Amino acid sequence: MGVKWIYTASVPELESFFHRCCTCETWVQRMVAGRPYNSRDSVLKAADVNWHGLDESDYLQAFEGHPMIGDIQSLAMKYADTRTFAYDEQSRVTTANQEILQALATGNAEYKARFGFVFLVCATDISAGEILASLQARLRNTRDMEIQNAGQEQCKITRIRLERLL
């Protein structure tokens, strides 16, 4: 779409555009209000700056926009706006063996019960085994640590999605 399109798009069009990258309403509104952007880099920088200025409730809202890693079936239902991104991001999980998929399902459930939100990792170009190892390691963290970890991962995911759309 490009930076020029961002400049000329209507507010509803821009809101929809930015929602495809991140489901945090505050972040979306900040991105819309940040126009005009004079370059691709300025959009990406604004995305990072606007993300890091959010609070926990905003982070949690963004996390709600993601299916559990490996839960490909839910993509078509709840996550229609971002299912293509999420499917691509999790594509290496779809080829994992049954043992890893089961361990991911078990770990995801434990993570959500412990922290109150889905396990979030930027899964682009990492294997299911690497995702599982990260999940198992992060289960030992505190909730505050995991809000920060998941927030950093969300920022990476948002940036990748934004780069793809621009």
Side-chain angles (χ1 to χ4, degrees):
M1 295 201 165
V3 177
K4 184 177 181 181
W5 178 85
I6 290 174
Y7 183 75
T8 61
S10 70
V11 169
E13 288 172 324
L14 263 186
E15 289 171 341
S16 177
F17 173 81
F18 287 124
H19 267 281
R20 291 177 63 198
C21 301
C22 179
T23 58
C24 171
E25 200 58 43
T26 303
W27 180 85
V28 168
Q29 294 308 315
R30 287 178 180 180
M31 291 301 294
V32 170
R35 285 192 296 181
Y37 298 106
N38 60 11
S39 68
R40 178 184 172 97
D41 287 340
S42 68
V43 176
L44 296 173
K45 182 177 181 180
D48 291 344
V49 168
N50 288 331
W51 177 253
H52 292 295
L54 299 174
D55 63 29
E56 182 177 311
S57 65
D58 294 316
Y59 280 20
L60 294 173
Q61 185 180 45
F63 303 162
E64 283 294 315
H66 293 275
M68 285 189 182
I69 296 278
D71 187 6
I72 303 302
Q73 290 79 14
S74 72
L75 294 175
M77 296 179 294
K78 183 176 177 187
Y79 304 97
D81 286 348
T82 61
R83 82 171 153 232
T84 301
F85 284 138
Y87 185 81
D88 289 348
E89 292 159 1
Q90 294 188 31
S91 64
R92 294 185 71 187
V93 172
T94 63
T95 61
N97 67 44
Q98 197 58 37
E99 184 179 319
I100 288 179
L101 291 175
Q102 183 58 50
L104 280 170
T106 301
N108 276 321
E110 184 180 345
Y111 185 97
K112 184 152 186 170
R114 178 178 164 108
F115 300 116
F117 53 90
V118 298
F119 170 70
L120 198 58
V121 65
C122 183
T124 303
D125 297 329
I126 61 173
S127 72
E130 291 168 308
I131 293 168
L132 179 59
S134 178
L135 170 60
Q136 290 170 336
R138 286 174 49 189
L139 276 166
R140 294 187 288 262
N141 291 336
T142 66
R143 186 173 189 281
D144 288 342
M145 289 170 68
E146 274 312 294
I147 290 285
Q148 293 307 309
N149 287 333
Q152 290 170 359
E153 296 300 309
Q154 173 68 56
C155 188
K156 291 179 202 174
I157 293 165
T158 299
R159 186 177 184 91
I160 289 169
R161 289 178 176 185
L162 196 51
E163 287 173 337
R164 286 181 64 190
L165 288 173
L166 290 172

